[in-house]
């Protein structure tokens, strides 16, 4: 653990947890104080919690686990940016990081292909949307081997009282509307809180839809349009109901 003098001088920092058997990082994080040690503390004090990160920590601790401070004396925003950049680059290079979340603002400013950058900033802005439409961000669900439909259809925290009004779902990926679907029906999905949540083991309800590609008139109105201008930085909810 760091003493108070060290903590005072560190400021915000970005760190990595290292597997000494491979000399490669398996987790990237940012924080201040003794944040770097919190993961090990949690894993060792909660042996019943089984996640990829916790299981690996318990396997490596103490002799095969190491730490690295990548940069310190950072502002919080600088730490967020560096953490996100490291996660992007290390994952791109094939490292199997145990981070469950990508870095801060990765969805809008993270690693992109040249064509994605061009499309994002040259696309026409979406300035209005019908009340029977909803936009769902699929940055976290759309990846290699998953279709846009499967990445969009399931499963979301939506007010069930709004479901009957939603006729079309617009799939948004990194600031662009990439597809539009017509909803046939909405279905409830029972989910379970993960082991690291305070409500671990308890259930809650999300919703998914069965649908088909929207008619050409709908697709022509929305697909290819940019919504980057209406996205609020740090917004946790992947669903947008209205465009103001």
């Amino acid at each position: 653990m760091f003493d108070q003098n060290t903590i005072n001088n560190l400021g915000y920092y970005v760190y990595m947890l290292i597997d000494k058997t491979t000399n490669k990082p398996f987790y990237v994080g940012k924080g201040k104080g003794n944040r770097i040690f919190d993961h090990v503390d949690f894993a060792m004090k909660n042996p019943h919690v089984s996640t990829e990160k916790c299981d690996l920590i318990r396997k490596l601790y103490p002799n095969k686990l190491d730490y690295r401070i990548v940069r310190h004396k950072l502002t919080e925003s600088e730490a967020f940016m560096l953490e996100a950049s490291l996660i992007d680059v290390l994952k791109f290079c094939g490292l199997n990081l145990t981070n469950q979340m990508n870095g801060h603002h990765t969805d809008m400013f993270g690693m992109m292909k040249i064509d994605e950058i061009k499309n994002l900033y040259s696309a026409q802005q979406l300035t209005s949307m019908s009340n029977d439409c909803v936009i769902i961000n699929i940055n976290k669900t759309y990846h290699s081997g998953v279709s846009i439909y499967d990445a969009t259809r399931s499963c979301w925290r939506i007010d069930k009282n709004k479901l009957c009004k939603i006729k079309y779902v617009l799939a948004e990926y990194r600031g662009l509307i990439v597809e539009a679907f017509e909803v046939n029906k909405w279905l409830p999905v029972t989910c379970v809180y993960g082991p690291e949540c305070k409500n671990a083991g308890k259930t809650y309800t999300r919703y998914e839809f069965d649908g088909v590609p929207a008619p050409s008139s709908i697709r022509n109105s929305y697909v290819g349009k940019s919504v980057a201008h209406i996205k609020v930085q740090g917004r946790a909810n992947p669903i947008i109901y209205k465009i103001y």
Side-chain angles (χ1 to χ4, degrees), residues 121-184:
Y121 292 110
S122 65
Q124 180 182 351
Q125 292 184 349
L126 182 63
T127 57
S128 63
M129 182 175 69
S130 173
N131 291 332
D132 58 1
C133 293
V134 67
I135 299 172
I136 295 182
N137 176 277
I138 60 172
N139 290 341
K140 295 179 182 178
T141 55
Y142 182 47
H143 50 81
S144 178
V146 176
S147 68
I148 295 178
Y149 174 67
D150 286 334
T152 309
R153 67 179 298 268
S154 181
C155 53
W156 310 101
R157 286 183 180 270
I158 300 179
D159 183 347
K160 66 178 181 180
N161 295 319
K162 295 182 179 181
L163 295 179
C164 62
K165 301 176 183 178
I166 301 174
K167 187 176 181 180
Y168 301 106
V169 174
L170 311 178
E172 178 250 318
Y173 181 69
R174 289 195 158 186
L176 284 178
I177 303 299
V178 293
E179 192 51 271
F181 300 100
E182 183 174 5
V183 177
N184 290 328

Side-chain angles (χ1 to χ4, degrees), residues 64 66 216:
K64 298 177 181 179
D66 204 356
S216 57

Side-chain angles (χ1 to χ4, degrees), residues 40-98:
V40 174
D41 187 59
F42 178 87
M44 302 311 295
K45 290 181 178 179
N46 297 275
H48 60 286
V49 173
S50 179
T51 65
E52 186 178 9
K53 180 180 67 178
C54 287
D55 291 344
L56 184 55
I57 286 173
R58 285 189 285 264
K59 178 181 177 182
L60 298 175
Y61 184 81
N63 296 326
K64 298 177 181 179
L65 177 67
D66 204 356
Y67 310 85
R68 290 290 187 280
I69 300 289
V70 180
R71 288 289 187 278
H72 66 284
K73 284 190 176 296
L74 303 172
T75 65
E76 185 175 23
S77 60
E78 289 172 339
F80 272 128
M81 187 66 70
L82 178 56
E83 176 197 39
S85 299
L86 280 175
I87 292 172
D88 273 359
V89 171
L90 292 175
K91 284 186 173 181
F92 180 77
C93 292
L95 270 69
N96 183 29
L97 298 180
T98 59

Side-chain angles (χ1 to χ4, degrees), residues 193-205:
Y193 285 104
E196 293 191 46
C197 297
K198 65 179 180 180
N199 293 321
K202 295 183 179 180
T203 61
Y204 60 98
T205 300

Side-chain angles (χ1 to χ4, degrees), residues 228-241:
H229 60 293
I230 64 170
K231 296 188 69 175
V232 178
Q233 297 305 319
R235 175 188 174 94
N237 189 354
I239 300 173
I240 297 175
Y241 296 98

